[in-house]
Amino acid sequence: MPRQLIAGNWKMNGLSVAGTRLAGALREAVATAPPPCDLLVCPPFTLVGRLAHVLLGSGVAVGGQDCHAEAAGAHTGDVSAPMLRDAGATAVILGHSERRAGHGETDGQVRAKAAAALAAGLAPIVCVGETLAEREAGRQEAVVAAQLAGSLPDGFAVAGAVAYEPVWAIGTGKTPTETEIAAMHAMIRRTLAARFGTAGESVRILYGGSVKPSNAKAILALPEVGGALVGGASLVAEDFLAIAAAARA
Ligand code: PEP
């Protein structure tokens, strides 16, 4: 299995001074104490190029938070996968629940974006996860299985990762139990292996949703958890680094 991946989703946070300072703090810290995992930070588009420069050679990779499905064209306000790659990104978060809910992104659109990311040489991190109502109705596995079937393009297992992010756990301080996380990750692994064969067995399955220093060790120790997608705690260098330090060696 690959090393665990701790990825920070900065969302719509970070002006140039603060963002550069945060990236600089990560750069210094990993030079002194390399974490037992891969690290990725996904700032807003405006900071991708700057952070790629600040973090060059540090071992901390930079990613985007979305991309368009086409490489170029008349799409005002959008950014393409080759543009992200050109700016120094190596990965891109796709289908985050905030984009599915706030921008009406469908599984089909996420699948097209993930295919565009792969074609541009970016590693797509495709987010899936159920709402609270879906979990309370016992439908969480069916919902996530449908999202996986609809959102992952052929060839995804070559470079892609899946992030299981229960919508109700994002930014709320609530997390599923360890048993619930392990059960969902096991289902996702079975699904990936059934669709992609051996390649599907080594795709990283990240957990995301209120990961913090106090719960990271227990979550990252669970079977089939290949890392974490971290929102709020990724904006504080010490917290992000503490989560990284809790990764399985
Ligand atoms: C996220 O938005 O991907 C996320 C996991 O956020 P948080 O860690 O703040 O719950």
Side-chain angles (χ1 to χ4, degrees):
M1 287 300 279
R3 295 207 312 167
Q4 289 189 316
L5 170 66
I6 306 299
N9 174 13
W10 289 12
K11 311 193 185 193
M12 198 173 70
N13 294 294
L15 298 178
S16 51
V17 172
T20 306
R21 197 182 296 132
L22 177 50
L26 297 179
R27 185 187 171 98
E28 265 183 47
V30 301
T32 318
C37 60
D38 294 336
L39 282 183
L40 171 72
V41 289
C42 300
F45 287 133
T46 47
L47 289 182
V48 168
R50 183 184 288 255
L51 261 59
H53 181 68
V54 171
L55 293 168
L56 188 67
S58 68
V60 182
V62 178
Q65 300 174 13
D66 180 42
C67 69
H68 198 275
E70 289 180 29
H75 302 289
T76 304
D78 283 318
V79 172
S80 73
M83 288 170 179
L84 279 176
R85 189 78 191 90
D86 184 53
T90 54
V92 60
I93 298 168
L94 295 170
H96 191 282
S97 62
E98 286 157 13
R99 293 208 59 85
R100 290 177 185 266
H103 297 262
E105 281 191 9
T106 63
D107 288 338
Q109 286 168 331
V110 175
R111 182 187 184 111
K113 290 177 178 203
L118 289 168
L122 295 174
I125 300 172
V126 171
C127 303
V128 293
E130 81 286 356
T131 63
L132 187 57
E134 288 163 344
R135 177 162 283 271
E136 283 174 349
R139 296 185 51 235
Q140 66 275 10
E141 293 209 355
V143 167
V144 169
Q147 288 174 332
L148 291 171
S151 305
L152 306 186
D154 292 342
F156 176 80
V158 174
V162 170
Y164 167 55
E165 298 208 305
V167 178
W168 52 275
I170 294 176
T172 58
K174 294 182 194 148
T175 55
T177 64
E178 290 168 23
T179 308
E180 288 167 340
I181 295 174
M184 185 62 83
H185 279 240
M187 188 284 286
I188 295 173
R189 174 66 67 213
R190 286 194 302 276
T191 305
L192 292 172
R195 169 130 179 235
F196 300 110
T198 6
E201 287 164 20
S202 51
V203 169
R204 288 191 279 210
I205 308 169
L206 314 183
Y207 168 78
S210 297
V211 176
K212 43 193 182 235
S214 57
N215 61 18
K217 187 127 201 126
I219 292 172
L220 291 166
L222 294 171
E224 302 297 359
V225 171
L229 182 54
V230 183
S234 71
L235 296 171
V236 179
E238 304 77 58
D239 288 355
F240 190 58
L241 290 163
I243 292 168
R248 205 189 297 133

